[in-house]
Amino acid sequence: TIQQLRVVRIVNNETLAGKAIRVGADVTGATYAFEVGPGSEMLSINNTDSWEVTSGNSAFRVANMSATPATYTIVLIGTSVAAE
């Protein structure tokens, strides 16, 4: 079980324009964290402080903004040691 998240990598494997994916708490509204366009990726590393994972914030939401299926890759790297 991951208790500290250290690395998030999201790759949008699509090549056609308009096949963006959104990531965040509210992926269908205006408060999503970021959008990854086709052929692009997002990489975030938090090596020093990490992101604490608790029962209240363990959801990771991704939405395909296209009317057709999209293919993407998600890599999450964390530790099983709780944050101090």
Side-chain angles (χ1 to χ4, degrees):
T1 302
I2 293 178
Q3 294 192 20
Q4 292 183 60
L5 187 60
R6 303 246 181 217
V7 176
V8 177
R9 180 178 181 231
I10 300 175
V11 179
N12 185 337
N13 299 318
E14 296 299 325
T15 57
L16 298 176
K19 290 202 160 209
I21 55 173
R22 288 184 179 173
V23 179
D26 179 13
V27 292
T28 58
T31 59
Y32 60 93
F34 53 88
E35 187 171 281
V36 182
S40 300
E41 70 177 73
M42 186 286 306
L43 174 65
S44 185
I45 301 171
N46 193 347
N47 193 41
T48 302
D49 295 325
S50 77
W51 297 283
E52 184 178 12
V53 178
T54 65
S55 61
N57 72 351
S58 61
F60 196 85
R61 294 179 176 87
V62 177
N64 171 15
M65 303 314 296
S66 173
T68 59
T71 304
Y72 52 90
T73 303
I74 298 175
V75 177
L76 303 174
I77 299 174
T79 67
S80 60
V81 178
E84 295 180 8

